[in-house]
């Protein structure tokens, strides 16, 4: 059985079947991105990423989806923070270089 397909469970003595929603993505890739781009967020991202399947397997489908979404958002946030820091560094270096060229020379 494919883990990403809906599962059907039939309980003994129960005439109805319960269909589980598909397993949400663990978004472990976004957790790895958090590790590369802004490591402090990686702890929470990997924690949420690793909780997706256990929550889904125990029937907490909304909790599993929330953990999946949270891991993804933490990875995207770390990427955004890295981009912001990178742009600020480029601007800072540009300002320093521009000031270096406009300063009068003190060499005689």
């Amino acid at each position: 059985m494919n883990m990403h397909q809906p599962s059907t469970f039939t309980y003994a003595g129960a005439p109805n079947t319960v269909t589980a929603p598909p397993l949400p993505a663990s978004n472990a890739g976004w957790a790895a991105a958090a590790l590369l781009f802004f490591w402090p967020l990686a702890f929470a991202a990997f924690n949420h990423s690793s909780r997706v399947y256990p929550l889904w397997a125990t029937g907490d489908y909304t909790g599993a989806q929330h953990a999946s979404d949270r891991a993804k958002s933490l990875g995207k946030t770390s990427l955004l923070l890295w981009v912001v820091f990178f742009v600020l560094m480029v601007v800072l270096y540009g300002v320093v270089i521009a000031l270096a060229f406009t300063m009068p020379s003190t060499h005689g």
Side-chain angles (χ1 to χ4, degrees):
M1 173 171 55
N2 187 349
M3 290 178 50
H4 296 287
Q5 297 296 324
S7 301
T8 303
F9 301 103
T10 305
Y11 299 100
N16 300 334
T17 57
V18 176
T19 303
L23 175 67
S26 68
N27 289 312
W30 280 113
L35 182 63
L36 292 174
F37 295 117
F38 193 71
W39 67 266
L41 291 180
F43 297 108
F46 276 112
N47 182 35
H48 286 289
S49 175
S50 66
R51 291 179 50 211
V52 172
Y53 180 74
L55 288 170
W56 182 83
T58 58
D60 187 2
Y61 307 123
T62 57
Q65 186 62 53
H66 174 72
S68 173
D69 295 341
R70 189 75 177 135
K72 187 176 185 178
S73 69
L74 287 168
K76 287 183 176 183
T77 300
S78 68
L79 178 60
L80 178 66
L81 286 171
W82 183 85
V83 168
V84 167
F85 288 145
F86 183 77
V87 168
L88 287 175
M89 287 300 295
V90 168
V91 169
L92 178 66
Y93 275 103
V95 168
V96 168
I97 291 170
L99 287 175
F101 281 122
T102 59
M103 298 288 277
S105 177
T106 57
H107 301 302

